[in-house]
Amino acid sequence: MIGSRGRVTGTVGPGLIGEVLLSVRGGTEAFYAYPADPDASFAVGTPVLVVDFEPPRTVYVERWQPLRA
């Protein structure tokens, strides 16, 4: 899970239980999501990176920042 990229499908932010879709085992699954930075907020559609995972279905995410050459 850690290092996976996904997309927010339910707003992630302080005091909220958000939702993200991640590719898992050849399919797509929804996970509960919290921001890795407790003050961050991500709107629906925001690409995110999983930085921590708590089984069975909870992830902590930060905004995906592609590397620039």
Side-chain angles (χ1 to χ4, degrees):
M1 279 303 132
I2 295 173
S4 297
R5 290 182 3 203
R7 187 161 307 278
V8 174
T9 54
T11 303
V12 176
L16 301 174
I17 300 173
E19 181 183 76
V20 297
L21 289 180
L22 301 173
S23 295
V24 179
R25 297 179 293 273
T28 303
E29 296 184 21
F31 288 79
Y32 297 121
Y34 296 94
D37 172 356
D39 297 324
S41 183
F42 309 116
V44 171
T46 303
V48 292
L49 175 70
V50 176
V51 296
D52 200 2
F53 171 66
E54 288 183 8
R57 302 200 66 78
T58 301
V59 294
Y60 291 84
V61 298
E62 61 185 34
R63 184 179 307 274
W64 167 249
Q65 297 292 329
L67 296 175
R68 302 199 189 258

